[in-house]
Amino acid sequence: MNLAARLRELKGQDLEEGVSTRLLVYCATLINAGMPILEATRATLVEPLSDDLDVQEGLMEAINATFG
């Protein structure tokens, strides 16, 4: 399963809203420009979606499972 699908499945469970296509494109742009994957995903997908530390940790677990 890809990262976008994993994060979108969390909508309504841990997240009030799912990850947008705009955020995914922004993340891919940063990675393409040379930013490390984990830094780019944290900056564009984790922090904008929640300020709850437990939720952020869960999102990072999904990211690590995808890119691990």
Side-chain angles (χ1 to χ4, degrees), residues 5-64:
R6 285 178 192 229
L7 296 181
R8 287 179 171 159
E9 284 182 353
L10 296 175
K11 181 181 178 182
Q13 296 175 26
D14 292 332
L15 298 175
E16 291 182 23
E17 59 184 67
V19 63
S20 69
T21 302
R22 177 184 55 83
L23 289 177
L24 291 167
V25 169
Y26 184 42
C27 182
T29 301
L30 292 178
I31 293 169
N32 191 47
M35 182 179 270
I37 291 172
L38 295 181
E39 287 181 41
T41 54
R42 179 174 289 283
T44 60
L45 305 177
V46 174
E47 293 174 359
L49 291 176
S50 179
D51 57 359
D52 182 296
L53 294 179
D54 291 331
V55 173
Q56 288 182 353
E57 285 181 26
L59 292 172
M60 287 306 297
E61 286 177 15
I63 290 165
N64 285 322

